[in-house]
Amino acid sequence: MDSMFVQQLRRSRHLVVLLLLLNMLTLALLAGGEYGAGVVALQLVLLMGTSALLFMLRNRSMTAAVTHAQEPVLALDPNTGIATENWFRHMLALECRRAVREFAPLTVMRISLGEHTKREHLLEVIRVLSEELSRPGDLIGWETDLDLGAVLPCTNEHAEQLTERCYRHIREHSSNPDLSVWLVAQTYQPRGDLNLSKVSQQLEQKMLEARQEAPGVFYSAEAATDPATPSMTYTDG
């Protein structure tokens, strides 16, 4: 991605091109030896104007870059009340590391409602998910611009039942009987390769495959790392 300075330079390209052409013209006159005091003065003015323009653009770009860097990361989407895409991915990465450190399974959901879902139907889905996923640590957010996501720490085989219940309640409480819902979920074991990249790529692939089929629930789970590990039961509270 180009720097802010380059972007501003492109937006001001007409003025910059004009100044550069005038600079080249006066330099050619000076090089040919056919010049007077007026040409020399014009050259000096053009050089100062070009330098001032470049300095101004550079200074504005640096100021804007510093201001942007100091802006706080927006955690919640003001239109829906759920986590923004950047915050959701940030928290998903943290939960992946926490799962490995605490040796606790992690379940991640991805919900697609298609490309033309009305806001009222979207809010209905979010309300149902918020009621179902209410434990401390559970997080609902934007996985992409269109798909919702949910992070559920410390889950086990009960996650499949939870996934099916979420889907069933979404359909039951939707005012749109024709609402298409694809709910993809996977429970990950706390192995060393559990990270944001792995989870995102796998859920993306699973959602692409699910969208080729009729709407419904698509759940899978990795085999337990250690069968002797005490189970971790997901409760409604």
Side-chain angles (χ1 to χ4, degrees):
M1 181 179 293
D2 293 327
S3 67
M4 191 176 301
F5 173 66
V6 174
Q7 294 175 13
Q8 292 182 347
L9 190 61
R10 286 177 175 171
R11 288 195 292 268
S12 306
R13 60 185 179 277
H14 299 297
L15 179 59
V16 172
V17 168
L18 177 61
L19 288 174
L20 291 177
L21 287 176
L22 291 175
N23 272 284
M24 293 174 62
L25 177 61
T26 54
L27 285 174
L29 293 175
L30 290 172
E34 301 177 359
Y35 60 90
V39 176
V40 175
L42 177 61
Q43 177 63 47
L44 292 175
V45 171
L46 289 174
L47 287 175
M48 288 187 294
T50 304
S51 299
L53 175 62
L54 294 177
F55 176 79
M56 179 187 67
L57 289 175
R58 183 63 177 175
N59 186 61
R60 286 177 57 190
S61 68
M62 293 179 67
T63 301
V66 171
T67 302
H68 178 74
Q70 293 178 345
E71 290 178 352
V73 177
L74 188 62
L76 296 180
D77 175 12
N79 295 318
T80 59
I82 62 176
T84 61
E85 182 178 349
N86 287 337
W87 187 254
F88 179 82
R89 294 178 64 83
H90 170 70
M91 294 305 297
L92 176 55
L94 291 180
E95 290 299 338
C96 287
R97 293 195 291 269
R98 189 198 308 274
V100 175
R101 183 175 66 251
E102 299 180 358
F103 202 71
L106 173 70
T107 298
V108 184
M109 292 184 183
R110 182 164 177 173
I111 303 99
S112 178
L113 305 176
E115 300 178 357
H116 304 289
T117 304
K118 294 183 178 180
R119 184 173 185 272
E120 59 181 300
H121 300 144
L122 171 64
L123 294 179
E124 289 173 349
V125 172
I126 292 174
R127 178 179 58 80
V128 172
L129 291 175
S130 298
E131 293 175 353
E132 295 293 337
L133 313 177
S134 57
R135 301 179 314 157
D138 291 351
L139 177 68
I140 304 170
W142 287 106
E143 172 67 22
T144 65
D145 291 338
L146 298 174
D147 291 356
L148 300 173
V151 180
L152 313 175
C154 300
T155 53
N156 64 353
E157 67 276 3
H158 294 276
E160 183 174 8
Q161 301 173 13
L162 173 67
T163 301
E164 294 174 349
R165 188 169 70 245
C166 286
Y167 178 81
R168 184 174 66 254
H169 287 181
I170 288 173
R171 298 307 305 268
E172 291 175 352
H173 293 84
S174 176
S175 59
N176 178 14
D178 299 324
L179 181 67
S180 297
V181 180
W182 288 268
L183 200 163
V184 172
Q186 177 154 338
T187 298
Y188 293 90
Q189 297 298 330
R191 300 191 176 98
D193 64 343
L194 179 58
N195 54 48
L196 173 63
S197 177
K198 172 185 174 179
V199 173
S200 298
Q201 291 177 7
Q202 289 190 359
L203 289 183
E204 173 71 21
Q205 182 61 35
K206 290 180 182 296
M207 180 57 76
L208 290 175
E209 296 172 355
R211 290 295 296 268
Q212 302 301 316
E213 303 182 22
V217 179
F218 303 85
Y219 176 82
S220 58
E222 293 182 339
T225 303
D226 184 2
T229 302
S231 66
M232 301 174 187
T233 302
Y234 192 103
T235 63
D236 292 336

